[in-house]
């Protein structure tokens, strides 16, 4: 399963993180995007097991997981007086830390990196909160272009029921409560998720995200993901 080393692609014209721009990798970066309760984590776990059973070395990553910044993001979100750009910069710093210390080293070692969300969720959240798309695009211009990106598309009304089943309550930020859409948390959640979905329609076209019907049963979604991922990976052997 050895791969010919290759130079990664970067979103910005400057070539990503300067001292890592010429890093050669042999692994693949695969992203599963989608709203809260869309089943991303379940599908990442399922796909990890399937790939490992076929002999692939797999590393999982996701948003707000870096040891350097993760705790700071949680504290920043508790402090509702912080501005939207401050929160955005926290997430960008977290992503940069993971890219440098976790994602790139794993790709250098030939791993398949499965990311439970990537920069696209962060960019969509920024836009919905009033930050210009060009600002977010420039902020994440150092990001590596993934090999595959899937978006689990789930109806907001189905999402809200899944959230209640899982957490018994709605999250303040995932409901867009900080935006003042509605005094009713349920209504705010629907409005916010609809706005995110519309923003992802734009992102899908710009960044070649592959849409998957996340309203289907989890096994059907998993079979679709597994088939498409394996088709891609087997061509890279």
């Amino acid at each position: 399963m050895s791969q010919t080393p290759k130079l990664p692609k970067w979103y910005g014209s400057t070539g990503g993180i300067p001292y890592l721009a010429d890093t050669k990798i042999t692994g693949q970066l695969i992203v599963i995007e989608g709203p809260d309760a869309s089943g991303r984590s379940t599908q990442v776990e399922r796909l990890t097991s399937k790939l490992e059973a076929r002999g692939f070395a797999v590393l999982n990553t996701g948003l707000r997981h870096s040891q350097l910044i993760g705790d700071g993001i949680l504290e920043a979100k508790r402090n509702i007086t912080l501005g939207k750009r401050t929160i955005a910069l926290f997430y960008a710093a977290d992503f940069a830390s993971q890219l440098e210390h976790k994602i790139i080293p794993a790709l250098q070692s030939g791993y398949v990196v499965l990311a439970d969300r990537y920069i696209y969720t962060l960019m969509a959240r920024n836009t919905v909160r009033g930050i210009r798309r060009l600002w977010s695009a420039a902020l994440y211009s150092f990001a590596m272009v993934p090999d595959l990106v899937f978006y689990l598309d789930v109806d907001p009304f189905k999402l809200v029921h899944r959230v209640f089943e899982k957490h018994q309550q709605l999250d303040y930020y995932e409901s867009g409560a900080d935006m003042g859409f509605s005094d009713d948390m349920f209504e705010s959640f629907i409005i916010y998720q609809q706005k995110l979905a519309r923003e992802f329609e734009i992102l899908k076209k710009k960044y070649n995200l592959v849409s998957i019907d996340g309203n289907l049963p989890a096994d059907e979604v998993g079979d679709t993901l597994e088939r498409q991922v394996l088709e891609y990976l087997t061509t890279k052997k």
Side-chain angles (χ1 to χ4, degrees), residues 27-67:
Q28 287 79 37
L29 174 58
I30 299 172
V31 176
I32 298 180
E33 279 279 2
D36 191 36
S38 60
R40 297 181 326 276
S41 299
T42 297
Q43 295 304 334
V44 167
E45 291 177 6
R46 183 184 190 277
L47 190 54
T48 297
S49 297
K50 296 290 184 178
L51 293 179
E52 288 179 339
R54 289 177 174 265
F56 293 95
V58 182
L59 177 79
N60 295 337
T61 187
L63 300 184
R64 209 184 63 202
H65 287 185
S66 96
Q67 294 180 347

Side-chain angles (χ1 to χ4, degrees), residues 169-208:
Q169 62 181 356
L170 295 174
D171 179 83
Y172 183 83
Y173 281 97
E174 292 290 351
S175 301
D178 58 307
M179 298 298 295
F181 295 132
S182 172
D183 292 334
D184 181 80
M185 188 73 86
F186 175 88
E187 184 178 12
S188 180
F189 179 93
I190 297 298
I191 294 171
Y192 179 61
Q193 294 299 330
Q194 288 174 335
K195 288 179 177 292
L196 284 177
R198 285 194 291 270
E199 191 57 32
F200 263 103
E201 287 301 315
I202 296 171
L203 293 171
K204 278 190 271 185
K205 295 176 183 177
K206 183 176 181 179
Y207 295 105
N208 299 316

Side-chain angles (χ1 to χ4, degrees), residues 31-236:
V31 176
I32 298 180
E33 279 279 2
D36 191 36
S38 60
R40 297 181 326 276
S41 299
T42 297
Q43 295 304 334
V44 167
E45 291 177 6
R46 183 184 190 277
L47 190 54
T48 297
S49 297
K50 296 290 184 178
L51 293 179
E52 288 179 339
R54 289 177 174 265
F56 293 95
V58 182
L59 177 79
N60 295 337
T61 187
L63 300 184
R64 209 184 63 202
H65 287 185
S66 96
Q67 294 180 347
L68 178 66
I69 306 293
D71 291 342
I73 289 177
L74 288 174
E75 185 61 32
K77 290 177 71 174
R78 295 188 191 103
N79 186 349
I80 60 175
T81 62
L82 292 179
K84 56 192 177 185
R85 281 188 173 81
T86 302
I87 299 293
L89 290 170
F90 261 108
Y91 273 106
D94 175 76
F95 173 77
S97 177
Q98 290 195 71
L99 182 63
E100 178 182 3
H101 299 292
K102 190 174 183 180
I103 295 174
I104 291 178
L107 293 173
Q108 286 179 296
S109 299
Y111 278 73
V112 175
V113 177
L114 294 181
D116 183 349
R117 297 197 289 201
Y118 199 62
I119 63 172
Y120 315 104
T121 284
L122 303 175
M123 296 171 78
R125 288 174 178 172
N126 287 351
T127 303
V128 171
R129 286 179 166 81
I131 296 175
R132 294 179 63 208
R133 294 189 185 98
L134 287 176
W135 188 89
S136 292
L139 178 63
Y140 288 105
S141 62
F142 65 89
M144 180 183 294
V145 178
D147 294 277
L148 292 173
V149 186
F150 298 97
Y151 175 71
L152 302 185
D153 194 355
V154 183
D155 179 81
F157 288 95
K158 184 179 287 289
L159 282 175
V160 75
H161 292 297
R162 290 184 181 180
V163 172
F164 271 119
E165 287 178 0
K166 185 176 181 180
H167 303 295
Q168 287 77 54
Q169 62 181 356
L170 295 174
D171 179 83
Y172 183 83
Y173 281 97
E174 292 290 351
S175 301
D178 58 307
M179 298 298 295
F181 295 132
S182 172
D183 292 334
D184 181 80
M185 188 73 86
F186 175 88
E187 184 178 12
S188 180
F189 179 93
I190 297 298
I191 294 171
Y192 179 61
Q193 294 299 330
Q194 288 174 335
K195 288 179 177 292
L196 284 177
R198 285 194 291 270
E199 191 57 32
F200 263 103
E201 287 301 315
I202 296 171
L203 293 171
K204 278 190 271 185
K205 295 176 183 177
K206 183 176 181 179
Y207 295 105
N208 299 316
L209 278 61
V210 178
S211 187
I212 302 289
D213 187 356
N215 298 296
L216 296 173
D219 286 345
E220 291 186 38
V221 175
D223 289 344
T224 299
L225 285 170
E226 181 185 353
R227 182 177 66 254
Q228 295 194 39
V229 169
L230 284 174
E231 285 177 0
Y232 177 81
L233 292 178
T234 52
T235 65
K236 298 299 178 181

